[in-house]
Amino acid sequence: MKPAALITAAALLMLLGSCTPAPQPYQWALPEGFPKPAVPADSPMSTAKAELGRYLFYDKALSGNGQQSCASCHQQATAFAESSAVSTGSTGDKHRRNALALINVAYNKTLTWAHPELQQIEQQLLIPMFGEQPVELGISGHEAQVLQQLQRGPYPALFEAAFGDEEVSFQRVTQALASFVRSLISLQSPFDRYAYQGDDSALTPEQINGMNLFFSERLECHHCHGGFNFTQSTSHEKQPLDRRPFHNTGLYFTARQQVEGQGYPDKDRGLAELSMQAGDDGRFRAPTLRNIVLTAPYMHDGSVATLEQVLDLYQQGGRNNTQGPWQGDGRLHPAKSNFVKGFDLTAEERAAVLAFLHSLTDTHFVSNPAYADPWPAQR
């Protein structure tokens, strides 16, 4: 080939290459000045992947028997939590824990209630997808069937937009689901307008009083539920550290186990199940308080029905269980957090704290069509 022909061919290749648009950086729905979440390098965000993930999140075909989707236990109306004390899997198995709300999960340093090593959503998703004790989505043993279902419309176009071709694999499924979950950003509550957007009228005087109490050393709520995400388990591009956000809040100290220096029921001892350390008995991750009014019931086992009862528990410095199978005074647990020591509130102060917690509700988040079920009502 002559040199001139070489130059022409090279120019043609450059021209063709320029016709392919470069991937655009993902646009996070963040207020000005907020740090971006940290995202794994091997699972970058894109709008197309998040949209594919939205279809997958709401698709019951992602379960082994076609009876359940991720959204069955993570419902938008309840801030992607659910109103049941504990979740029920696709085959009827009862989970032992309450479904955590999927709020600003992109900022979480650790995932689930009590697993310090689960730090990427792609890893965590494998538990509900393939776990067998209990069965949740129940894909194990039905892998081929599920993948076949994900080749129906509109998936071919969605996979191609997200990954460049129509190939369906569980690696791509988990990456797309993770992208959708990371996209669930909630930063438009009245508190946000007051604290970060300079709107002094966004909170009432009562809510401001409650906010001051919440962040006071007298109540000490902010030690475990601090920062812009109202949880100690927060990480982002400017804050990679983990501050060990697991705490025993004095829910249990069962008489049957006190002799062992422990106290939480054997059905769920929290962090101690992994660390094998008695000092970790009953330690669970402090969840975000954003949209907390919508996510009842509360605690790792859903055993506290209302937000008012949560405040009762912390005012009393723990819970004394006088009935049921787990009787005992949780306030006496030796591993209880030093921040759960009880406090006194007047009726007005108590109402103010509850009013402040209501100000953390982001109505746009629970009605945002970008997060809603994309499937037709009749499927």
Side-chain angles (χ1 to χ4, degrees), residues 97-276:
R97 290 178 178 169
N98 179 258
L100 281 162
L102 302 182
I103 302 168
N104 297 344
V105 177
Y107 287 111
N108 282 3
K109 180 63 176 179
T110 59
L111 303 164
T112 77
W113 280 102
H115 200 315
E117 303 306 319
L118 275 178
Q119 300 181 7
Q120 290 191 6
I121 301 172
E122 289 81 357
Q123 295 174 315
Q124 188 277 327
L125 283 166
L126 299 178
I127 298 173
M129 289 171 67
F130 297 101
E132 297 180 329
Q133 294 182 341
V135 170
E136 294 182 65
L137 291 175
I139 296 177
S140 292
H142 304 278
E143 291 87 350
Q145 169 193 324
V146 170
L147 291 177
Q148 179 64 36
Q149 284 291 312
L150 300 184
Q151 295 179 39
R152 73 192 196 281
Y155 282 119
L158 291 169
F159 274 93
E160 183 164 7
F163 294 103
D165 60 62
E166 299 178 6
E167 179 187 351
V168 179
S169 69
F170 284 116
Q171 181 181 28
R172 288 182 168 187
V173 167
T174 56
Q175 289 185 352
L177 282 170
S179 293
F180 175 66
V181 171
R182 287 192 178 99
S183 77
L184 300 176
I185 298 295
S186 177
L187 294 168
Q188 297 189 43
S189 68
F191 168 80
D192 293 305
R193 296 198 301 274
Y194 178 87
Y196 303 120
Q197 299 173 27
D199 183 357
D200 291 341
S201 66
L203 297 186
T204 67
E206 182 182 45
Q207 289 172 328
I208 293 172
N209 184 31
M211 178 182 68
N212 292 333
L213 287 165
F214 180 92
F215 288 106
S216 71
E217 292 301 322
R218 177 178 156 200
L219 269 62
E220 300 193 298
C221 311
H222 64 286
H223 289 292
C224 302
H225 297 285
F228 68 82
N229 209 26
F230 289 87
T231 172
Q232 198 177 20
S233 178
T234 300
S235 177
H236 49 77
E237 60 182 353
K238 299 178 181 179
Q239 170 58 49
L241 299 178
D242 182 10
R243 293 179 288 179
R244 193 169 172 77
F246 303 97
H247 308 278
N248 179 319
T249 57
L251 283 179
Y252 297 103
F253 193 33
T254 65
R256 181 176 60 82
Q257 290 182 280
Q258 286 177 17
V259 67
E260 303 171 14
Q262 302 166 1
Y264 271 58
D266 283 335
K267 65 176 183 176
D268 197 349
R269 295 186 53 231
L271 192 61
E273 294 182 352
L274 295 176
S275 72
M276 307 301 290

Side-chain angles (χ1 to χ4, degrees), residues 4-15:
L6 285 172
I7 295 173
T8 302
L12 180 60
L13 287 172
M14 291 178 63
L15 179 62

Side-chain angles (χ1 to χ4, degrees), residues 1 22 49 56 60 70 82 118 183 191 215 245 267 270 300 302:
M1 185 179 291
K49 283 172 66 178
L56 293 165
K60 291 183 179 180
C70 302
E82 65 174 331
L118 275 178
S183 77
F191 168 80
F215 288 106
K267 65 176 183 176
H300 70 280

Side-chain angles (χ1 to χ4, degrees), residues 278-306:
D280 286 334
D281 183 58
R283 287 189 174 179
F284 294 88
R285 183 166 65 84
T288 180
L289 296 188
R290 286 185 171 276
N291 298 292
I292 190 65
V293 172
L294 305 176
T295 63
Y298 304 103
M299 306 300 168
H300 70 280
D301 57 356
S303 62
V304 182
T306 69

